[in-house]
Amino acid sequence: MSRILSAVAWPYANGPRHIGHVAGFGVPSDVFSRYMRMAGHEVLMVSGTDEHGTPILVAADAAGISARELADRNNRLIVEDLQQLGLSYDLFTRTTTGNHYAVVQAMFEVVRDNGYMLVETTHGAISPSTGRTLPDRYIEGTCPICGDGGARGDQCDNCGNQLDPTDLINPVSRINGETPQFIETDHYFLDLPALAGALTEWLDDRDRSGTWRPNVIKFSKNFLEDIRPRAMTRDIDWGIPVPGWEDQPSKRLYVWFDAVVGYLSASIEWARRSGDPEAWRQWWNDPEALSYYFMGKDNIVFHSQIWPAEMLGYNGAGDKGGQPGAFGTLNLPTEVVSSEFLTMEGKKFASSRGIVIYVRDMLARYQADALRYFICAAGPETSDADFTWAEFLRRTNSELVAGWGNLVNRTASMIHKKFGEVPAPAELEDIDRALLDAIAAGFDEVGELIATHRQKAALGAAMRLVGEANKYVTDTEPFKLKSEEERPRLATVLWTLAQAVNDLNLMLSPFLPHAANDVDMVLGGDGKVAPMPRIEEVEDLDVTNEDGSPRCYPILTGDYEGYPAWGRREIEVGRVIGKPTPVFVKLDESIVEEELARAGGE
């Protein structure tokens, strides 16, 4: 048994999330966490909404409300979406809590005092028309290195190089197309060169482990070739105040320093709410604990470089030495699990141009597990993938409905009709044992694939076993066993099918948790195979509203213990099986044209 930290990327709260987002951070982390819990590990799955930065201010201005009001609104929307999708967080919180502010500031102070924060005068970009600071990511221009015309002020996605806004050729504001003005301003910079040796040693160790996806290791090592100090503060009035600069209220900690510390602050908040305020240390200070960070590929640099560098600086492990603070020596990531991009009908998701499918719209029209299945079977695990409505229809109808759903339905229907309960088997034949043995062996194969972040292969292996069970029905032809003499054989075949479906349901439950509970009830169970997250309204642990009233917000949490372990679970003979109803909804072919027309209209 190990302690496993599932650190899930923090969705930005400037609006609702689309299915490309949850394909990168949400569903993969949940499948992994669910399996690890079933395999007997102690899992802590944390995240929250990322609520600071200029994009929040821009969106709030457009909506005519304050930044906090916008963050409150979108935080709730995102929490509701992720709960409906079934993501089993131990704590999904937010970055505007008093706890988070305190942890971030304490982290900054130690990194600074250890010598890894430098004050440098730099050129900050401002909007000529508003006087507001423009963040690096809101400035676009031509990359001076590769010549790509869509480079941003922090990096070029085309060549992967780190940039400053002043490096760009012909920079313009993404907000209004203005040419930004550059003014001198002082900021704290994370001294990455002083941490480069420790970062290199850590990455080399991770490379030798052979567990990281090649694209993540390659990108991370390439970053080291041009490593330089990186700004950790910004000129903005919405964010976490900079310790020591309280007399400069326009200075705030950069949202990317703030957000990545959230993995630690969320763990601490979870512990405080659990009744054991020090419980988080079992995942962060114990060198035997493992930590896995889930995100899309555009966030690799922050999780394989910036966040590890901040932890190394906090631990005093860079060239300048130093001592860790009250949080102790922090564990660096065991693995950064980065997915590639999901596109939509061949186009990059772009909410402003209507190229988008929001999670809540998807779940309002289709089953959550149909979306989860598509992401696991055809998502951007190691290469970019395309979501098309035609493929979503095909996979739902041909694989979920006609494959798994049909096996469940006809197994339950035959048992209900012939016996009314799970029958006791007679002597098993070779064909019966072969199916059950194959499925039993499948637990090891599927589990190992999930544990090593090969979820497409894992789901494929499980669905091949579903195919074997369907073939078993065809080969044994239980519907032809009608005489009294054949009744013992019929009972054996149907018991074998009931056991097979029971086992396959457990095997598929990390991927299809909603359906797992439904299938269990079809088989006469209590529907408690896959635990579900719940939304709780809580009060901030440390701060109140300006009028003294409690500052409340929704969190995602859940009770994930006491559910079936990974592996065969004998189905009880005599369990009553009622007339089943289909677990999955077959989609009409008309939805393809309807959805394409809807997207065109939007």
Side-chain angles (χ1 to χ4, degrees), residues 17 191 253 473:
R17 298 299 86 188
D191 190 0
L253 289 170
V473 177

Side-chain angles (χ1 to χ4, degrees), residues 101-122:
Y101 272 49
V103 173
V104 169
Q105 290 177 324
M107 184 94 182
F108 175 85
E109 288 176 327
V110 173
V111 176
R112 179 198 63 196
D113 295 346
N114 278 345
Y116 299 103
M117 287 290 178
L118 310 172
V119 177
E120 294 186 1
T121 300
T122 185

Side-chain angles (χ1 to χ4, degrees), residues 272-585:
R272 294 176 68 189
R273 292 191 183 281
S274 74
D276 181 1
E278 299 297 305
W280 62 273
R281 294 188 183 276
Q282 299 173 83
W283 284 267
W284 286 91
N285 296 152
D286 181 355
E288 298 299 315
L290 304 174
S291 55
Y292 298 86
Y293 289 73
F294 294 85
M295 76 224 55
K297 66 179 177 181
D298 53 335
N299 288 334
I300 291 175
V301 66
F302 297 102
H303 294 83
S304 70
Q305 291 291 334
I306 305 300
W307 176 227
E310 291 170 10
M311 286 193 280
L312 287 167
Y314 185 89
N315 293 344
D319 294 348
K320 299 177 180 179
Q323 295 294 322
F327 301 137
T329 300
L330 301 173
N331 291 336
L332 271 66
T334 303
E335 187 169 352
V336 173
V337 186
S338 169
S339 299
E340 301 293 295
F341 288 147
L342 185 71
T343 55
M344 173 185 169
E345 302 288 347
K347 300 176 182 178
K348 186 177 180 179
F349 277 94
S351 303
S352 60
R353 296 195 298 273
I355 307 172
V356 66
I357 310 169
Y358 290 115
V359 172
R360 66 177 36 227
D361 292 338
M362 188 79 181
L363 299 186
R365 299 193 287 272
Y366 305 102
Q367 291 177 291
D369 279 359
L371 174 59
R372 290 178 63 113
Y373 183 85
F374 182 94
I375 289 171
C376 295
E381 183 173 277
T382 56
S383 61
D384 291 351
D386 193 33
F387 177 93
T388 68
W389 287 108
E391 183 67 358
F392 175 70
L393 171 82
R394 186 192 71 77
R395 287 191 177 273
T396 300
N397 287 351
S398 299
E399 298 173 16
L400 272 185
V401 176
W404 176 227
N406 183 51
L407 175 65
V408 172
N409 194 65
R410 62 178 172 170
T411 295
S413 293
M414 288 187 289
I415 293 175
H416 169 71
K417 183 177 180 180
K418 298 297 183 179
F419 293 94
E421 61 185 29
V422 176
E427 185 176 352
L428 269 62
E429 297 182 2
D430 288 346
I431 191 174
D432 311 323
R433 285 189 289 268
L435 175 64
L436 296 177
D437 289 348
I439 293 174
F443 279 105
D444 290 337
E445 179 186 7
V446 172
E448 175 64 17
L449 289 168
I450 296 175
T452 53
H453 312 292
R454 291 176 285 172
Q455 294 182 7
K456 278 187 179 181
L459 182 56
M463 291 303 287
R464 282 193 296 275
L465 292 170
V466 170
E468 288 296 312
N470 274 315
K471 183 177 182 298
Y472 172 84
V473 177
T474 301
D475 292 343
T476 57
E477 298 182 312
F479 38 83
K480 291 185 178 180
L481 302 174
K482 298 180 178 179
S483 69
E484 192 64 30
E485 293 78 10
E486 295 170 317
R487 194 165 177 79
R489 179 60 190 154
L490 176 62
T492 303
V493 169
L494 294 184
W495 175 86
T496 300
L497 277 172
Q499 183 63 57
V501 169
N502 198 52
D503 290 343
L504 288 168
N505 192 42
L506 275 178
M507 195 180 298
L508 286 165
S509 64
F511 305 99
L512 309 171
H514 303 84
N517 292 332
D518 292 340
V519 170
D520 189 63
M521 288 190 285
V522 167
L523 290 181
D526 57 10
K528 294 182 179 179
V529 170
M532 287 298 174
R534 65 178 181 271
I535 298 174
E536 287 187 4
E537 298 290 332
V538 299
E539 294 182 6
D540 194 294
L541 296 170
D542 300 293
V543 297
T544 60
N545 293 315
E546 292 182 1
D547 63 2
S549 62
R551 179 175 292 175
C552 300
Y553 57 96
I555 62 169
L556 273 181
T557 188
D559 300 317
Y560 306 120
E561 297 181 357
Y563 285 80
W566 187 255
R568 161 162 291 183
R569 182 177 64 160
E570 296 292 330
I571 193 163
E572 305 125 18
V573 171
R575 185 189 279 189
V576 176
I577 306 295
K579 184 177 181 180
T581 56
V583 173
F584 299 107
V585 176

